[in-house]
Amino acid sequence: VEADVFGAARPKKRARTSAAAAARIHVERDSSRGRVLRVTKKDAAAVRGAAGASILATRRGGEVLFTTETAQRAATRLKDAEASFKDASADVVAECVRVGKTFAPPLRTAARVAAEVDALLALADCAAARDWAKPAMGSETLEFEGLRHPLVDEAVTDYVP
């Protein structure tokens, strides 16, 4: 004797029939009842006559929603497992955020340094391409010769200083 999907004891010789019927039973999520079992109109009579099956509703088209004590226990275990998973997932996400926040200050510093290096390299590249020179400071008096604004040179081709 073994238990079938309805939670009722069946003789072993009917196991194949029970397995075929079980293949046609569908588990659905119901908004008000949680998990329920569903069969088509074709298998509705077998469910209505099964010991331990509680009919919950009959849909248009003859589909039957039902449950059993075994199915209810399994649905409760599944609901508890889903809640545990959701709690554990929230804990993992919170821990990831907490650890990730510790990387923010060093990453900000690295971004600032990278931006400064990028700006200096761009300036050096531009200076090398245009043969710019760094002024030498030798006295207290500043004298400029051939001073030009580099952005004006780039924007206007006939600029006269």
Side-chain angles (χ1 to χ4, degrees):
V1 177
E2 61 183 38
D4 69 3
V5 293
F6 302 119
R10 302 273 187 203
K12 267 223 187 246
K13 65 182 181 178
R14 293 193 53 173
R16 287 186 187 159
T17 306
S18 178
R24 293 188 304 260
I25 297 174
H26 304 279
V27 178
E28 288 188 358
R29 185 184 301 252
D30 185 82
S31 59
S32 60
R33 300 178 187 99
R35 305 273 187 199
V36 296
L37 303 173
R38 177 184 56 84
V39 292
T40 61
K41 182 178 182 179
K42 176 181 173 183
D43 297 314
V47 171
R48 292 184 196 283
S54 299
I55 306 298
L56 302 172
T58 301
R59 292 182 175 166
R60 189 172 23 175
E63 290 182 332
V64 174
L65 298 181
F66 69 102
T67 191
T68 65
E69 286 183 26
T70 304
Q72 286 175 332
R73 284 192 302 274
T76 301
R77 286 193 314 269
L78 178 61
K79 185 177 178 182
D80 293 344
E82 286 172 340
S84 294
F85 175 78
K86 186 176 179 181
D87 292 344
S89 295
D91 292 344
V92 167
V93 169
E95 182 65 12
C96 287
V97 168
R98 187 190 68 74
V99 170
K101 283 181 179 179
T102 64
F103 290 97
L107 286 175
R108 271 192 220 102
T109 301
R112 262 188 244 112
V113 169
E116 188 173 339
V117 167
D118 180 52
L120 292 173
L121 285 174
L123 183 59
D125 184 48
C126 191
R130 290 168 178 80
D131 199 29
W132 292 349
K134 179 179 176 184
M137 305 296 283
S139 67
E140 292 182 22
T141 307
L142 288 177
E143 292 181 30
F144 299 104
E145 290 180 27
L147 183 66
R148 300 171 69 103
H149 193 288
L151 297 179
V152 174
D153 280 348
E154 290 296 317
V156 181
T157 57
D158 59 350
Y159 174 70
V160 177

